[in-house]
Amino acid sequence: RRHQQNETNHNRTEQKATPSTTTIATTNNNIMSSASKKANLMVAVIGYTGGVGTCLLKAMKTISLEPVCLVRSTTMKFTSGDQKEIPVDYSLLAKHLLKEEKHGIPVIADVTASAVVQTHYKGWLEQGISVVTANKGIFASAEYPSLLKAAAVGKARLLHETTVGAGLPVLSTLAALKASSHKILKVEGILSGTLAYVLGQVASNKTSLSEAVLKAKELGYTEPDPRDDLNGMDVARKAVILARVAGMESEDAVNLEKMTIESLVPEPLRDCSVEEFLSKLSEHGDEAMKEKVTAVESSSDGARLHYAAKVDVVNQTVQVGLLECEASHPFNNAGPDNMVAITTNFYKDRPLVVQGAGAGGDVTATGVLADILQCAYQ
C-alpha cells in the first residue's frame, strides 16, 4: 500500500514455450491495439481526487483518453457542457453513460475503497456498463458469483486486476493460463509489502519483531494501526481472489470465516490501544518470533520464513500465514516486492513467477487503465 518503487520488475521464470505463451501475448496485443480504440470508451472515474485517482487521470491524459464523468465522495460532474458540480447520483450516472452508449462503450472505473460504491456494481453490470476496479472488498465476499452472473446478463466486462498486486499482471496471467489449457495446481503469493519488510528484518534474527514493526511504522509502511497489517486479513482477501480466479470451486475454501489465517498479533494485544500494542509487543511477540525464525533457518541451509498465501487448487484449500521456504524457493529472492508463484501441469518443476512493486499510485493506476482498455473488447 505504501511501498512506492521507481521500477516494477515483472520477472517470470524462463520455461519452454507452452500453450500459455500465445494466450498471454494475445492479451497484451489486445491492450495495445485497444489504445487505438480509446475514443470508443466512455469512462466515468469514481474517486478521481484520491491518490490512485489522480494518477489514473494523468495516465489517461498521456494516451489522450478523456473521462466523460468525474465522481468524488459527495459531488460529480460531467466533462461536457457546463461541467457543473452536482450531488452524487449513481442512477443519473448510469443513465448518462447508457444515453451516450451510441458513441462508445460505457465503463465505470472505481478507484475508491468504498463499500457503498460496490453495492452498485451488480446493477451497472446488468445494464451493460462495464466495471473496472481496484476496490477488492466485494471480490473476497459471497457476492462475487452474483457479479459474474450480472456481467453475463449485461454482456459487460468486470475487471479487477489491481485488487491483487497493484499493476502486476497476476490475475490476467492466471486467467490466460487457464484459458490456454493449463491446469492450475497451486498459487503462492507474498502479497503484503509491509509483512515482507517485517519478515525481512527478522530474518537471521537481525532484529526483533517489535523493532521491525516500529521501524515499518516510522517509514510509513503500515496502517495507522499496524495490527491491520499483522493480522493477515488483507492478505487473506487477496488469497480468496487468487483462489477464485485460479478455479477454486469450493465456496467453503474461500470463506474468510472458515479459512486458516495466521495472525502475527499476540492474543493479549488484539483488543488494546495502538499505543499499548506497540509498547508491549516486545514482551508478548519477540521471543515467539525468534524461536520460529531460528527453527526454520536451522532446519536446512538457506531456508527462510515468509508471510504468504497458499492456494492449493488440487486439495481445495487456502492458507494464509507463515510459510517455511527452502533455499530454492523463489520467495527467497522477493526482497520487498510482491511475488506470486504459479504452479501448473506445465510449469511444475519451476513455477511461473510474477514479481514487482505491489503498491503505489502510478503502478496501480496504469493497471486500472490497462483494464479500461480491455473493455474495448466486449
Side-chain angles (χ1 to χ4, degrees), residues 102-267:
K102 60 181 177 291
H103 300 302
I105 298 167
V107 180
I108 291 178
D110 174 19
V111 288
T112 72
S114 169
V116 173
V117 176
Q118 292 193 323
T119 63
H120 296 275
Y121 286 3
K122 184 178 178 183
W124 290 334
L125 291 165
E126 288 174 339
Q127 294 176 78
I129 300 171
S130 292
V131 173
V132 170
T133 180
N135 191 350
K136 75 174 73 69
I138 200 168
F139 298 100
S141 76
E143 297 175 64
Y144 177 68
S146 69
L147 294 182
L148 296 180
K149 291 179 182 178
V153 168
K155 297 181 180 178
R157 301 293 298 273
L158 174 63
L159 299 171
H160 55 101
E161 179 73 76
T162 54
T163 56
V164 177
L168 295 178
V170 174
L171 302 185
S172 57
T173 298
L174 272 174
L177 290 171
K178 281 182 60 187
S180 58
S181 83
H182 282 252
K183 181 179 179 181
I184 308 297
L185 305 177
K186 180 174 65 177
V187 184
E188 295 174 306
I190 292 179
L191 306 172
S192 167
T194 303
L195 289 171
Y197 174 83
V198 169
L199 268 296
Q201 291 298 299
V202 301
S204 303
N205 290 313
K206 294 190 296 289
T207 188
S208 66
L209 175 64
S210 60
E211 291 171 341
V213 171
L214 282 171
K215 184 65 174 177
K217 184 170 173 58
E218 288 173 7
L219 293 170
Y221 292 169
T222 73
E223 295 288 353
D225 184 343
R227 288 173 293 189
D228 291 338
D229 297 294
L230 297 174
N231 64 16
M233 286 306 298
D234 184 62
V235 174
R237 293 185 188 96
K238 295 173 183 176
V240 169
I241 295 170
L242 285 174
R244 283 174 161 160
V245 175
M248 185 81 81
E249 296 177 354
S250 170
E251 278 301 310
D252 282 344
V254 293
N255 186 323
L256 288 170
E257 295 182 359
K258 296 181 180 181
M259 279 172 52
T260 301
I261 305 171
E262 182 178 1
S263 174
L264 299 188
V265 182
E267 185 73 38

Side-chain angles (χ1 to χ4, degrees), residues 269-328:
L269 303 180
R270 293 181 182 178
D271 298 316
C272 61
S273 67
V274 176
E275 292 73 20
E276 184 178 354
F277 164 72
L278 292 172
S279 66
K280 293 186 176 180
L281 183 57
S282 60
E283 176 185 344
H284 293 281
D286 284 359
E287 191 59 34
M289 179 57 73
K290 182 178 180 180
E291 290 175 0
K292 291 175 182 176
V293 170
T294 301
V296 169
E297 294 183 356
S298 62
S299 64
S300 63
D301 188 33
R304 285 279 306 277
L305 195 63
H306 298 277
Y307 194 95
K310 182 176 181 179
V311 176
D312 186 336
V313 182
V314 175
N315 294 306
Q316 296 285 292
T317 60
V318 180
Q319 295 177 303
V320 174
L322 293 172
L323 179 68
E324 179 179 346
C325 298
E326 59 186 20
S328 61

